[in-house]
Amino acid sequence: MTMTDKFGALDVPGTKHDNFSVLFHHRQQDWHLRMMLATEFFAGWSKCLSRKIGAVIVEDKTIISTGYNGPPRGVPECHTKQRIEQILSANPSLRHTPEGERLRLSDGTKCPRQILGYDSGQWLDLCPAGHAEANAVANASRIGIRLTGADMYCWCPLPCQECSKMIIGSGLARVFYIATGIDYDPNSRWMLMNAGVSLIGITKELIEKYRQEQQ
């Protein structure tokens, strides 16, 4: 079944969800591709040892908020000794295990969850980081910026369900994301589409082509 939202964006199950080229003529694409490169830039600010994600919120061709995945302000990052000690203190049973010893001796270059043998998405309670999309919304809220009707650009596939809730609640109108053909959380697309948020997928190939054209 194919769903069409109020902006005319198509949701086509089983495809890469790349509707960007259909919705925008070549001359209209430049700005959006530039903003996707901006999300990649802010993703580089993340100190996450697992993955680096960035988000940019734009209104009237003006960047009004940015975010990258990481813990709240003032909370030690996972590469710090403070964070490692906190994990061991909160989980004392780890201290006398081979995994706990590897964590204690870690040099801050590998995600603690990976050191403990967990796959991506497992034991998320151990991770203090907020997602880039949620942090971008929070940063706007911190200084009183209204997001109703604005666009969000994400250096990642379709946002997760929790970030989607914040996107819907904050009144964002469109989400531009990297089209991969696989949604991190299938519920996100259903929620966003039903809430009237336009979903616009852009392939990395198109972004890379634009990058090369600008050099």
Side-chain angles (χ1 to χ4, degrees):
M1 177 180 177
T2 298
M3 296 177 64
T4 306
D5 67 17
K6 65 181 180 182
F7 290 89
L10 297 178
D11 171 46
V12 187
T15 73
K16 278 192 171 184
H17 305 297
D18 177 16
N19 50 1
F20 179 69
S21 299
V22 175
L23 292 174
F24 300 97
H25 296 299
H26 183 72
R27 284 180 297 178
Q28 299 174 309
Q29 293 179 9
D30 183 85
W31 170 261
H32 301 298
L33 291 169
R34 194 184 311 170
M35 288 301 97
M36 290 302 288
L37 290 180
T39 67
E40 182 186 27
F41 172 78
F42 286 108
W45 288 19
S46 173
K47 293 184 175 65
C48 179
L49 302 171
S50 178
R51 65 191 67 188
K52 298 182 185 297
I53 308 296
V56 170
I57 300 177
V58 174
E59 184 175 24
D60 193 24
K61 290 196 171 182
T62 301
I63 295 176
I64 58 176
S65 188
T66 65
Y68 55 85
N69 57 317
R73 298 171 189 238
V75 177
E77 310 260 2
C78 288
H79 68 279
T80 63
K81 289 297 182 183
Q82 301 101 300
R83 177 58 183 156
I84 298 300
E85 183 55 37
Q86 192 277 333
I87 292 172
L88 293 173
S89 296
N91 302 274
S93 61
L94 284 175
R95 285 193 179 274
H96 304 293
T97 65
E99 293 81 5
E101 184 64 10
R102 286 198 297 270
L103 184 62
R104 188 181 67 81
L105 298 174
S106 65
D107 60 0
T109 60
K110 190 173 182 180
C111 172
R113 288 186 297 129
Q114 294 174 356
I115 293 174
L116 295 174
Y118 292 95
D119 294 330
S120 177
Q122 292 183 324
W123 204 11
L124 293 178
D125 288 346
L126 190 66
C127 180
H131 288 185
E133 307 94 305
N135 284 340
V137 171
N139 287 338
S141 175
R142 186 183 181 93
I143 55 176
I145 294 178
R146 186 169 177 264
L147 300 181
T148 305
D151 295 334
M152 175 178 279
Y153 298 81
C154 308
W155 189 252
C156 61
L158 196 69
C160 72
Q161 183 172 251
E162 291 306 309
C163 288
S164 295
K165 293 175 184 177
M166 296 188 70
I167 289 168
I168 294 167
S170 64
L172 289 165
R174 300 188 294 187
V175 175
F176 293 77
Y177 64 98
I178 295 176
T180 63
I182 301 175
D183 290 343
Y184 180 79
D185 186 337
N187 290 320
S188 298
R189 185 173 297 275
W190 180 85
M191 290 173 59
L192 290 163
M193 294 287 288
N194 278 278
V197 178
S198 182
L199 308 178
I200 302 165
I202 309 176
T203 63
K204 273 193 173 181
E205 290 83 358
L206 187 58
I207 297 170
E208 187 57 36
K209 179 182 178 182
Y210 175 77
R211 188 204 312 274
Q212 293 175 2
E213 290 174 349
Q214 305 310 303
Q215 295 176 350

